[in-house]
Amino acid sequence: MARPLRFPAPLRPGDRIAVTAPSAGVTGASAARIDFCLDWLRGRGYDVVVGECLYGDGLTSAPAEQRAAELTRMLADPDIHCVVPPWGGETAIDMVDLLDWDVLAEAEPTWLVGYSDLSTLLLPVTTRLGWATLHGDNLADTPYVVPDGLLHWLDLAGGPGPFVQRDSGLVATWVRFEQDAQATEWSHVGQGRWEVEGGGRLDVTGRLVGGCAETVANLAGTPYGDVRAWAEDLDEPTIVYVEACEEHAVNICRYLHSLRLAGWFDRAAAVLVGRTNAPDHADLTQREAVLDALGRLDVPVVWDLEIGHVPPHLPLVNGALARVVVDGDTREITQTLA
């Protein structure tokens, strides 16, 4: 049975932030970027500590047992208020069942922040422990200036809300580490706009839950991704968000069908879909993939939110009570951490 929702204490300057790599480690030219980001957080008054599982040039930063032990220790340490990774990676799933869930269940909630492969960990921390988690920038993106309409993940971690964010209209990309390891301005590449599938208006409220489709779909049907049970225990509507990293449309279609069959959308008041650069299939676009899986549900779909692998990033708190409004010129999401 899912535990009641608990929200970590507000993150304040002076609090300790721990950095570890539960998935891919730091190596080569990326080290200069991470060093800059660590200094950036310290320059804003945070006490930043670095774990042993940060650097490494393999698929992961360290063996699964070591990564799991370090993340457990950091999340259970009362002196650590937030844990953030350098970025995602590929196989964080190898440590999900190695975390000491009994130890964490006795600990006070700690902010766990990130996206991409970190969705693999954010999801069970929320659904199994009842801790709110923060789907936002990884450390490597944290120094980027937030565009008008959006908030920094540090803002959401810093208080109860309500936090209002609006469609930024911006489509951007990263500055390569080799080009500028200290970049803080996104490279603008276009414009985007939230829209409801089929047109019309939307005004819904529910508890946020979701993540990267390529990673969370592998948890569906396991004790680490039972969103159906979590939502049933809460007995509230949900707002499910999904985004695609790089898989072509056929695989995204499969992943979303898997989530549907696992009951992820049974209590959904809406589904939010992040904009993506993932490729289409010759016979199936990314949008068609979503509609193939979810179109049979009586659930509205909102397209092109800034919630994934196309920056900038709109941070979402798993477990937050959210209201989403798309009506004329109003395109906004309000989150309350209660």
Side-chain angles (χ1 to χ4, degrees):
M1 179 177 293
R3 297 174 182 269
L5 280 172
R6 294 191 292 164
F7 294 87
L11 185 65
R12 305 285 190 234
D15 287 343
R16 180 167 295 170
I17 296 177
V19 180
T20 184
S23 191
V26 176
T27 186
S30 63
R33 175 62 180 180
I34 296 307
D35 288 344
F36 169 72
C37 296
L38 294 170
D39 288 341
W40 188 92
L41 281 175
R42 291 178 178 124
R44 278 143 188 81
Y46 297 100
D47 176 18
V48 182
V49 296
V50 174
E52 295 180 0
C53 301
L54 180 60
Y55 298 95
D57 58 2
L59 184 65
T60 60
S61 63
E65 293 82 3
Q66 185 179 349
R67 286 179 282 123
E70 179 159 283
L71 183 58
T72 298
R73 177 182 60 78
M74 288 178 170
L75 291 175
D77 187 338
D79 293 328
I80 293 175
H81 295 80
C82 177
V83 180
V84 61
W87 38 61
E90 303 294 341
T91 59
I93 196 169
D94 67 358
M95 60 177 282
V96 168
D97 59 335
L98 299 177
L99 293 171
D100 194 329
W101 293 99
D102 292 334
V103 166
L104 295 177
E106 298 300 320
E108 289 300 310
T110 297
W111 282 115
L112 180 60
V113 183
Y115 79 106
S116 192
D117 200 24
L118 265 291
S119 296
T120 317
L121 302 173
L122 298 176
L123 181 68
V125 168
T126 294
T127 58
R128 286 177 65 92
L129 295 177
W131 295 9
T133 56
L134 216 165
H135 185 269
D137 289 314
N138 296 315
L139 179 62
D141 301 329
T142 290
Y144 277 105
V145 174
V146 177
D148 290 343
L150 305 184
L151 295 172
H152 199 281
W153 70 260
L154 287 167
D155 296 325
L156 273 73
F163 299 104
V164 180
Q165 298 182 85
R166 299 178 176 86
D167 184 352
S168 72
L170 172 64
V171 179
T173 190
W174 294 268
V175 177
R176 293 180 62 84
F177 301 152
E178 298 86 349
Q179 178 183 346
D180 184 358
Q182 299 185 10
T184 59
E185 296 284 347
W186 296 111
S187 294
H188 297 197
V189 296
Q191 294 181 319
R193 182 179 175 88
W194 305 3
E195 59 180 357
V196 178
E197 169 63 26
R201 304 173 178 176
L202 178 79
D203 188 340
V204 296
T205 300
R207 295 285 174 181
L208 284 166
V209 67
C212 176
E214 288 100 316
T215 68
V216 296
N218 298 293
L219 299 174
T222 78
Y224 304 98
D226 196 347
V227 169
R228 187 205 321 244
W230 178 77
E232 287 177 350
D233 285 345
L234 289 177
D235 195 24
E236 294 182 71
T238 60
I239 295 175
V240 181
Y241 64 92
V242 292
E243 58 96 6
C245 172
E246 60 187 6
E247 289 286 347
H248 63 69
V250 168
N251 279 344
I252 295 300
C253 183
R254 293 181 181 126
Y255 297 146
L256 294 178
H257 273 294
S258 175
L259 297 180
R260 176 183 62 81
L261 293 169
W264 267 51
F265 308 100
D266 288 1
R267 289 180 175 257
V271 178
L272 312 181
V273 181
R275 63 175 62 114
T276 184
N277 289 326
D280 295 333
H281 184 272
D283 298 314
L284 190 74
T285 67
Q286 288 285 336
R287 285 204 176 193
E288 289 169 343
V290 174
L291 294 176
D292 186 90
L294 307 185
R296 67 184 68 181
L297 304 176
D298 186 22
V299 178
V301 173
V302 185
W303 300 104
D304 284 340
L305 276 78
E306 302 97 320
I307 55 174
H309 284 77
V310 177
H313 297 137
L314 186 161
L316 298 175
V317 174
N318 290 314
L321 184 63
R323 181 186 180 194
V324 179
V325 178
V326 181
D327 186 355
D329 291 333
T330 301
R331 287 169 168 77
E332 66 182 27
I333 179 169
T334 303
Q335 299 177 70
T336 303
L337 310 191

